[in-house]
Amino acid sequence: MNITIQYVNIYVTNLLQSIEFYRDKLGLSLQFSDDEHGYASFDAGPIRVGLAEVGLSQRDLTGRHTGVGFCTADLEQTYAECVRRGVKFSMQPERQPWGGFMATFEDPDGNVSYLDQPDVVHDP
């Protein structure tokens, strides 16, 4: 059996506003959006990132740490570009004790995701 991850969903309260954020500020390529079903999908490399719009009764699904990690080859350059585009970072790029190099950012709903440079060399 071979199971892979095809997509992850991030819950949002305003689909149009979130599409603009992930497309225009993060620079992801929008694959499709469906206003009737409150869903949009972005090309994010080997997997897709979906935005799923929630109603009032499900707002507790937003404004959380998503656990989603976006990667870039040059964290400092991408961070600077994202800041210029208006992305709010809750943690600036920092080298981690375990060897990683990452930052965290928030979307319009306060969902927190990682921005990571995965190929940082560190001692074992």
Short mmCIF file of all heavy atoms in Angstrom, two decimals, residues 39-96:
data_model
loop_
_atom_site.label_atom_id
_atom_site.label_comp_id
_atom_site.label_asym_id
_atom_site.label_seq_id
_atom_site.Cartn_x
_atom_site.Cartn_y
_atom_site.Cartn_z
N TYR A 39 -14.85 26.98 -1.29
CA TYR A 39 -13.59 26.25 -1.33
C TYR A 39 -12.69 26.78 -2.44
O TYR A 39 -13.16 27.16 -3.51
CB TYR A 39 -13.85 24.75 -1.57
CG TYR A 39 -12.63 23.90 -1.31
CD1 TYR A 39 -12.30 23.53 -0.01
CD2 TYR A 39 -11.81 23.49 -2.34
CE1 TYR A 39 -11.18 22.75 0.26
CE2 TYR A 39 -10.68 22.72 -2.09
CZ TYR A 39 -10.37 22.35 -0.79
OH TYR A 39 -9.25 21.60 -0.54
N ALA A 40 -11.40 26.80 -2.16
CA ALA A 40 -10.40 27.18 -3.16
C ALA A 40 -9.19 26.28 -2.99
O ALA A 40 -8.92 25.79 -1.89
CB ALA A 40 -9.99 28.65 -2.99
N SER A 41 -8.47 26.06 -4.07
CA SER A 41 -7.29 25.19 -4.04
C SER A 41 -6.11 25.89 -4.70
O SER A 41 -6.26 26.52 -5.75
CB SER A 41 -7.60 23.88 -4.78
OG SER A 41 -6.48 23.02 -4.74
N PHE A 42 -4.95 25.76 -4.06
CA PHE A 42 -3.71 26.37 -4.54
C PHE A 42 -2.66 25.31 -4.80
O PHE A 42 -2.55 24.34 -4.06
CB PHE A 42 -3.15 27.34 -3.49
CG PHE A 42 -3.98 28.57 -3.30
CD1 PHE A 42 -5.06 28.56 -2.44
CD2 PHE A 42 -3.68 29.72 -3.99
CE1 PHE A 42 -5.84 29.69 -2.26
CE2 PHE A 42 -4.45 30.86 -3.82
CZ PHE A 42 -5.54 30.85 -2.95
N ASP A 43 -1.86 25.55 -5.84
CA ASP A 43 -0.70 24.70 -6.11
C ASP A 43 0.39 25.09 -5.11
O ASP A 43 0.78 26.25 -5.04
CB ASP A 43 -0.22 24.94 -7.54
CG ASP A 43 0.97 24.09 -7.92
OD1 ASP A 43 1.50 23.33 -7.08
OD2 ASP A 43 1.39 24.19 -9.09
N ALA A 44 0.83 24.12 -4.32
CA ALA A 44 1.88 24.38 -3.33
C ALA A 44 2.97 23.34 -3.46
O ALA A 44 3.46 22.79 -2.47
CB ALA A 44 1.29 24.40 -1.93
N GLY A 45 3.35 23.01 -4.68
CA GLY A 45 4.40 22.01 -4.90
C GLY A 45 3.80 20.62 -5.00
O GLY A 45 2.83 20.42 -5.72
N PRO A 46 4.34 19.68 -4.25
CA PRO A 46 3.85 18.30 -4.37
C PRO A 46 2.47 18.07 -3.76
O PRO A 46 1.85 17.05 -4.01
CB PRO A 46 4.91 17.48 -3.63
CG PRO A 46 5.57 18.44 -2.71
CD PRO A 46 5.49 19.79 -3.38
N ILE A 47 1.97 19.02 -2.98
CA ILE A 47 0.61 18.91 -2.44
C ILE A 47 -0.14 20.20 -2.73
O ILE A 47 0.46 21.21 -3.12
CB ILE A 47 0.59 18.61 -0.92
CG1 ILE A 47 1.14 19.78 -0.12
CG2 ILE A 47 1.30 17.32 -0.60
CD1 ILE A 47 0.92 19.65 1.37
N ARG A 48 -1.45 20.17 -2.53
CA ARG A 48 -2.27 21.37 -2.70
C ARG A 48 -2.67 21.89 -1.32
O ARG A 48 -2.78 21.13 -0.37
CB ARG A 48 -3.52 21.05 -3.51
CG ARG A 48 -3.22 20.68 -4.95
CD ARG A 48 -4.49 20.57 -5.78
NE ARG A 48 -5.56 19.85 -5.12
CZ ARG A 48 -5.90 18.59 -5.37
NH1 ARG A 48 -5.22 17.89 -6.25
NH2 ARG A 48 -6.90 18.02 -4.73
N VAL A 49 -2.90 23.19 -1.26
CA VAL A 49 -3.43 23.81 -0.05
C VAL A 49 -4.85 24.25 -0.38
O VAL A 49 -5.06 25.00 -1.34
CB VAL A 49 -2.59 25.03 0.39
CG1 VAL A 49 -3.29 25.78 1.51
CG2 VAL A 49 -1.21 24.59 0.82
N GLY A 50 -5.79 23.75 0.39
CA GLY A 50 -7.18 24.13 0.20
C GLY A 50 -7.61 25.14 1.25
O GLY A 50 -7.14 25.09 2.39
N LEU A 51 -8.48 26.04 0.86
CA LEU A 51 -9.12 26.96 1.80
C LEU A 51 -10.57 26.56 1.87
O LEU A 51 -11.27 26.50 0.85
CB LEU A 51 -9.00 28.40 1.31
CG LEU A 51 -7.60 28.96 1.10
CD1 LEU A 51 -7.67 30.40 0.59
CD2 LEU A 51 -6.79 28.88 2.38
N ALA A 52 -11.04 26.25 3.06
CA ALA A 52 -12.42 25.84 3.28
C ALA A 52 -13.12 26.88 4.14
O ALA A 52 -12.74 27.09 5.29
CB ALA A 52 -12.46 24.47 3.94
N GLU A 53 -14.10 27.54 3.55
CA GLU A 53 -14.82 28.59 4.28
C GLU A 53 -15.79 27.96 5.27
O GLU A 53 -16.53 27.03 4.93
CB GLU A 53 -15.57 29.48 3.29
CG GLU A 53 -16.17 30.71 3.91
CD GLU A 53 -16.75 31.64 2.85
OE1 GLU A 53 -17.52 31.16 1.99
OE2 GLU A 53 -16.42 32.82 2.87
N VAL A 54 -15.78 28.46 6.49
CA VAL A 54 -16.66 27.95 7.54
C VAL A 54 -17.68 29.02 7.93
O VAL A 54 -17.45 30.21 7.78
CB VAL A 54 -15.88 27.50 8.79
CG1 VAL A 54 -14.95 26.35 8.45
CG2 VAL A 54 -15.08 28.65 9.40
N GLY A 55 -18.80 28.56 8.45
CA GLY A 55 -19.85 29.46 8.91
C GLY A 55 -19.65 29.83 10.37
O GLY A 55 -18.68 29.43 11.02
N LEU A 56 -20.61 30.57 10.89
CA LEU A 56 -20.53 31.04 12.27
C LEU A 56 -20.38 29.92 13.28
O LEU A 56 -19.64 30.04 14.26
CB LEU A 56 -21.77 31.86 12.62
CG LEU A 56 -21.85 33.26 12.02
CD1 LEU A 56 -23.19 33.90 12.31
CD2 LEU A 56 -20.72 34.13 12.55
N SER A 57 -21.06 28.80 13.06
CA SER A 57 -21.02 27.71 14.04
C SER A 57 -19.67 26.98 14.05
O SER A 57 -19.41 26.20 14.97
CB SER A 57 -22.14 26.71 13.76
OG SER A 57 -21.92 26.08 12.51
N GLN A 58 -18.82 27.23 13.05
CA GLN A 58 -17.52 26.55 12.97
C GLN A 58 -16.34 27.49 13.09
O GLN A 58 -15.21 27.11 12.81
CB GLN A 58 -17.42 25.79 11.64
CG GLN A 58 -18.45 24.69 11.50
CD GLN A 58 -18.41 24.10 10.12
OE1 GLN A 58 -18.42 24.81 9.12
NE2 GLN A 58 -18.33 22.78 10.06
N ARG A 59 -16.55 28.70 13.52
CA ARG A 59 -15.47 29.70 13.61
C ARG A 59 -14.36 29.28 14.56
O ARG A 59 -13.26 29.78 14.48
CB ARG A 59 -16.02 31.06 14.01
CG ARG A 59 -16.92 31.61 12.93
CD ARG A 59 -16.59 32.97 12.58
NE ARG A 59 -17.39 33.32 11.39
CZ ARG A 59 -17.34 34.47 10.83
NH1 ARG A 59 -16.57 35.40 11.33
NH2 ARG A 59 -18.04 34.71 9.76
N ASP A 60 -14.65 28.34 15.45
CA ASP A 60 -13.59 27.86 16.36
C ASP A 60 -12.52 27.06 15.62
O ASP A 60 -11.49 26.74 16.18
CB ASP A 60 -14.18 27.06 17.52
CG ASP A 60 -14.92 25.81 17.06
OD1 ASP A 60 -15.43 25.78 15.92
OD2 ASP A 60 -14.99 24.87 17.86
N LEU A 61 -12.76 26.75 14.34
CA LEU A 61 -11.76 26.06 13.53
C LEU A 61 -10.72 27.02 12.96
O LEU A 61 -9.73 26.59 12.39
CB LEU A 61 -12.44 25.31 12.38
CG LEU A 61 -13.38 24.18 12.78
CD1 LEU A 61 -14.10 23.63 11.56
CD2 LEU A 61 -12.61 23.07 13.51
N THR A 62 -10.95 28.32 13.12
CA THR A 62 -10.02 29.32 12.60
C THR A 62 -9.25 29.95 13.75
O THR A 62 -9.56 29.75 14.92
CB THR A 62 -10.76 30.43 11.83
OG1 THR A 62 -11.59 31.16 12.72
CG2 THR A 62 -11.60 29.86 10.70
N GLY A 63 -8.22 30.72 13.40
CA GLY A 63 -7.45 31.44 14.41
C GLY A 63 -6.59 30.52 15.25
O GLY A 63 -6.35 30.78 16.42
N ARG A 64 -6.07 29.47 14.64
CA ARG A 64 -5.26 28.47 15.35
C ARG A 64 -3.94 28.23 14.63
O ARG A 64 -3.77 28.63 13.50
CB ARG A 64 -5.95 27.11 15.41
CG ARG A 64 -7.38 27.11 15.47
CD ARG A 64 -7.97 25.72 15.38
NE ARG A 64 -9.04 25.66 16.36
CZ ARG A 64 -9.22 24.70 17.21
NH1 ARG A 64 -8.48 23.66 17.18
NH2 ARG A 64 -10.19 24.76 18.07
N HIS A 65 -3.12 27.49 15.28
CA HIS A 65 -1.89 27.04 14.64
C HIS A 65 -2.27 25.89 13.72
O HIS A 65 -2.86 24.90 14.16
CB HIS A 65 -0.89 26.57 15.70
CG HIS A 65 0.50 26.53 15.17
ND1 HIS A 65 0.90 25.63 14.20
CD2 HIS A 65 1.57 27.29 15.45
CE1 HIS A 65 2.17 25.83 13.94
NE2 HIS A 65 2.61 26.84 14.67
N THR A 66 -1.97 26.02 12.43
CA THR A 66 -2.39 25.02 11.46
C THR A 66 -1.50 23.79 11.44
O THR A 66 -1.94 22.72 11.02
CB THR A 66 -2.39 25.60 10.03
OG1 THR A 66 -1.04 25.92 9.66
CG2 THR A 66 -3.28 26.82 9.94
N GLY A 67 -0.22 23.96 11.81
CA GLY A 67 0.73 22.87 11.65
C GLY A 67 1.23 22.74 10.22
O GLY A 67 2.00 21.84 9.90
N VAL A 68 0.80 23.63 9.33
CA VAL A 68 1.18 23.58 7.92
C VAL A 68 2.51 24.31 7.75
O VAL A 68 2.67 25.44 8.21
CB VAL A 68 0.09 24.20 7.03
CG1 VAL A 68 0.55 24.27 5.57
CG2 VAL A 68 -1.21 23.42 7.16
N GLY A 69 3.43 23.66 7.08
CA GLY A 69 4.73 24.26 6.83
C GLY A 69 4.93 24.56 5.36
O GLY A 69 4.90 23.66 4.52
N PHE A 70 5.10 25.82 5.03
CA PHE A 70 5.43 26.25 3.67
C PHE A 70 6.95 26.36 3.62
O PHE A 70 7.58 26.83 4.57
CB PHE A 70 4.80 27.60 3.35
CG PHE A 70 3.30 27.56 3.29
CD1 PHE A 70 2.53 27.75 4.44
CD2 PHE A 70 2.66 27.34 2.09
CE1 PHE A 70 1.15 27.72 4.38
CE2 PHE A 70 1.27 27.30 2.02
CZ PHE A 70 0.52 27.49 3.18
N CYS A 71 7.56 25.93 2.52
CA CYS A 71 9.02 25.93 2.42
C CYS A 71 9.50 26.86 1.31
O CYS A 71 8.82 27.06 0.31
CB CYS A 71 9.52 24.52 2.15
SG CYS A 71 9.24 23.41 3.53
N THR A 72 10.69 27.38 1.52
CA THR A 72 11.34 28.24 0.55
C THR A 72 12.84 27.97 0.58
O THR A 72 13.38 27.59 1.63
CB THR A 72 11.05 29.73 0.85
OG1 THR A 72 11.71 30.55 -0.12
CG2 THR A 72 11.52 30.13 2.25
N ALA A 73 13.49 28.18 -0.54
CA ALA A 73 14.94 27.95 -0.61
C ALA A 73 15.73 29.06 0.08
O ALA A 73 16.86 28.84 0.50
CB ALA A 73 15.38 27.82 -2.07
N ASP A 74 15.15 30.25 0.20
CA ASP A 74 15.84 31.38 0.81
C ASP A 74 14.87 32.09 1.76
O ASP A 74 14.11 32.97 1.36
CB ASP A 74 16.35 32.34 -0.25
CG ASP A 74 17.22 33.46 0.31
OD1 ASP A 74 17.05 33.83 1.50
OD2 ASP A 74 18.06 33.97 -0.44
N LEU A 75 14.87 31.69 3.02
CA LEU A 75 13.93 32.20 4.00
C LEU A 75 14.05 33.71 4.19
O LEU A 75 13.05 34.41 4.23
CB LEU A 75 14.10 31.48 5.34
CG LEU A 75 13.19 31.94 6.47
CD1 LEU A 75 11.72 31.82 6.10
CD2 LEU A 75 13.49 31.17 7.74
N GLU A 76 15.26 34.21 4.30
CA GLU A 76 15.42 35.65 4.53
C GLU A 76 14.86 36.48 3.39
O GLU A 76 14.18 37.48 3.61
CB GLU A 76 16.89 35.97 4.81
CG GLU A 76 17.35 35.41 6.15
CD GLU A 76 18.83 35.57 6.40
OE1 GLU A 76 19.61 35.77 5.44
OE2 GLU A 76 19.22 35.49 7.58
N GLN A 77 15.11 36.07 2.17
CA GLN A 77 14.60 36.80 1.00
C GLN A 77 13.07 36.70 0.92
O GLN A 77 12.38 37.70 0.71
CB GLN A 77 15.22 36.26 -0.28
CG GLN A 77 14.71 36.96 -1.53
CD GLN A 77 15.29 36.35 -2.80
OE1 GLN A 77 16.00 35.36 -2.78
NE2 GLN A 77 14.97 36.96 -3.92
N THR A 78 12.53 35.50 1.12
CA THR A 78 11.08 35.31 1.06
C THR A 78 10.40 36.05 2.19
O THR A 78 9.35 36.68 1.99
CB THR A 78 10.73 33.80 1.12
OG1 THR A 78 11.40 33.14 0.02
CG2 THR A 78 9.24 33.58 1.01
N TYR A 79 10.97 36.02 3.37
CA TYR A 79 10.43 36.75 4.52
C TYR A 79 10.35 38.25 4.18
O TYR A 79 9.31 38.88 4.39
CB TYR A 79 11.32 36.52 5.74
CG TYR A 79 11.01 37.42 6.91
CD1 TYR A 79 9.94 37.16 7.76
CD2 TYR A 79 11.80 38.54 7.17
CE1 TYR A 79 9.65 37.99 8.84
CE2 TYR A 79 11.52 39.38 8.24
CZ TYR A 79 10.45 39.10 9.07
OH TYR A 79 10.17 39.93 10.12
N ALA A 80 11.44 38.82 3.66
CA ALA A 80 11.46 40.24 3.33
C ALA A 80 10.40 40.59 2.29
O ALA A 80 9.70 41.60 2.41
CB ALA A 80 12.86 40.65 2.83
N GLU A 81 10.24 39.75 1.28
CA GLU A 81 9.23 39.98 0.25
C GLU A 81 7.82 39.89 0.84
O GLU A 81 6.95 40.71 0.54
CB GLU A 81 9.38 38.99 -0.90
CG GLU A 81 8.35 39.14 -2.00
CD GLU A 81 8.39 40.47 -2.72
OE1 GLU A 81 9.46 41.12 -2.78
OE2 GLU A 81 7.33 40.89 -3.22
N CYS A 82 7.59 38.90 1.68
CA CYS A 82 6.27 38.75 2.31
C CYS A 82 5.95 39.95 3.20
O CYS A 82 4.82 40.45 3.20
CB CYS A 82 6.20 37.46 3.12
SG CYS A 82 6.05 35.97 2.12
N VAL A 83 6.92 40.43 3.95
CA VAL A 83 6.71 41.62 4.79
C VAL A 83 6.35 42.82 3.91
O VAL A 83 5.42 43.56 4.23
CB VAL A 83 7.96 41.91 5.67
CG1 VAL A 83 7.88 43.28 6.31
CG2 VAL A 83 8.12 40.82 6.73
N ARG A 84 7.04 42.98 2.79
CA ARG A 84 6.72 44.08 1.86
C ARG A 84 5.29 43.96 1.34
O ARG A 84 4.64 44.96 1.07
CB ARG A 84 7.69 44.10 0.68
CG ARG A 84 9.00 44.80 0.97
CD ARG A 84 9.80 45.08 -0.30
NE ARG A 84 10.26 43.88 -0.98
CZ ARG A 84 11.34 43.18 -0.64
NH1 ARG A 84 12.08 43.56 0.37
NH2 ARG A 84 11.68 42.10 -1.31
N ARG A 85 4.82 42.74 1.17
CA ARG A 85 3.47 42.51 0.67
C ARG A 85 2.41 42.60 1.77
O ARG A 85 1.23 42.46 1.50
CB ARG A 85 3.38 41.14 0.00
CG ARG A 85 4.16 41.05 -1.27
CD ARG A 85 4.05 39.66 -1.86
NE ARG A 85 4.79 39.53 -3.09
CZ ARG A 85 4.75 38.47 -3.86
NH1 ARG A 85 4.00 37.43 -3.51
NH2 ARG A 85 5.46 38.42 -4.96
N GLY A 86 2.83 42.78 3.02
CA GLY A 86 1.89 42.97 4.11
C GLY A 86 1.57 41.75 4.94
O GLY A 86 0.62 41.75 5.71
N VAL A 87 2.38 40.69 4.82
CA VAL A 87 2.16 39.49 5.63
C VAL A 87 2.60 39.78 7.06
O VAL A 87 3.68 40.34 7.29
CB VAL A 87 2.94 38.27 5.07
CG1 VAL A 87 2.80 37.07 5.98
CG2 VAL A 87 2.47 37.95 3.65
N LYS A 88 1.77 39.41 8.02
CA LYS A 88 2.07 39.60 9.44
C LYS A 88 2.76 38.35 9.97
O LYS A 88 2.22 37.25 9.91
CB LYS A 88 0.78 39.85 10.22
CG LYS A 88 1.00 40.01 11.71
CD LYS A 88 -0.33 40.16 12.43
CE LYS A 88 -0.10 40.12 13.92
NZ LYS A 88 -1.37 40.05 14.65
N PHE A 89 3.97 38.53 10.50
CA PHE A 89 4.72 37.41 11.06
C PHE A 89 4.64 37.44 12.58
O PHE A 89 4.86 38.48 13.20
CB PHE A 89 6.19 37.47 10.61
CG PHE A 89 6.38 36.95 9.22
CD1 PHE A 89 6.16 37.76 8.13
CD2 PHE A 89 6.77 35.64 9.01
CE1 PHE A 89 6.31 37.28 6.84
CE2 PHE A 89 6.92 35.14 7.73
CZ PHE A 89 6.70 35.96 6.64
N SER A 90 4.32 36.30 13.16
CA SER A 90 4.28 36.19 14.62
C SER A 90 5.64 35.76 15.17
O SER A 90 5.90 35.88 16.36
CB SER A 90 3.19 35.22 15.06
OG SER A 90 3.24 34.02 14.33
N MET A 91 6.51 35.26 14.29
CA MET A 91 7.90 34.95 14.65
C MET A 91 8.78 35.24 13.43
O MET A 91 8.53 34.72 12.35
CB MET A 91 8.07 33.47 15.06
CG MET A 91 9.48 33.14 15.50
SD MET A 91 9.69 31.40 16.00
CE MET A 91 9.98 30.63 14.41
N GLN A 92 9.78 36.09 13.61
CA GLN A 92 10.73 36.38 12.54
C GLN A 92 11.61 35.16 12.30
O GLN A 92 11.66 34.26 13.14
CB GLN A 92 11.58 37.57 12.92
CG GLN A 92 10.79 38.84 13.08
CD GLN A 92 11.68 40.00 13.51
OE1 GLN A 92 12.89 39.90 13.61
NE2 GLN A 92 11.04 41.14 13.76
N PRO A 93 12.33 35.11 11.18
CA PRO A 93 13.20 33.96 10.92
C PRO A 93 14.19 33.75 12.07
O PRO A 93 14.84 34.69 12.52
CB PRO A 93 13.95 34.36 9.64
CG PRO A 93 13.01 35.29 8.94
CD PRO A 93 12.34 36.06 10.06
N GLU A 94 14.20 32.53 12.56
CA GLU A 94 15.10 32.16 13.67
C GLU A 94 15.68 30.78 13.41
O GLU A 94 14.98 29.88 12.95
CB GLU A 94 14.33 32.10 14.99
CG GLU A 94 13.90 33.40 15.56
CD GLU A 94 13.20 33.22 16.91
OE1 GLU A 94 13.28 32.14 17.52
OE2 GLU A 94 12.57 34.19 17.35
N ARG A 95 16.94 30.64 13.75
CA ARG A 95 17.56 29.31 13.73
C ARG A 95 17.10 28.58 14.98
O ARG A 95 17.12 29.13 16.07
CB ARG A 95 19.07 29.42 13.68
CG ARG A 95 19.51 30.17 12.43
CD ARG A 95 20.88 29.77 11.94
NE ARG A 95 21.21 30.54 10.76
CZ ARG A 95 20.88 30.21 9.51
NH1 ARG A 95 20.23 29.11 9.29
NH2 ARG A 95 21.21 30.98 8.50
N GLN A 96 16.66 27.36 14.79
CA GLN A 96 16.11 26.58 15.89
C GLN A 96 17.20 25.70 16.52
O GLN A 96 18.15 25.30 15.85
CB GLN A 96 14.97 25.69 15.37
CG GLN A 96 13.86 26.49 14.73
CD GLN A 96 13.22 27.46 15.70
OE1 GLN A 96 12.80 27.08 16.80
NE2 GLN A 96 13.16 28.73 15.32
#
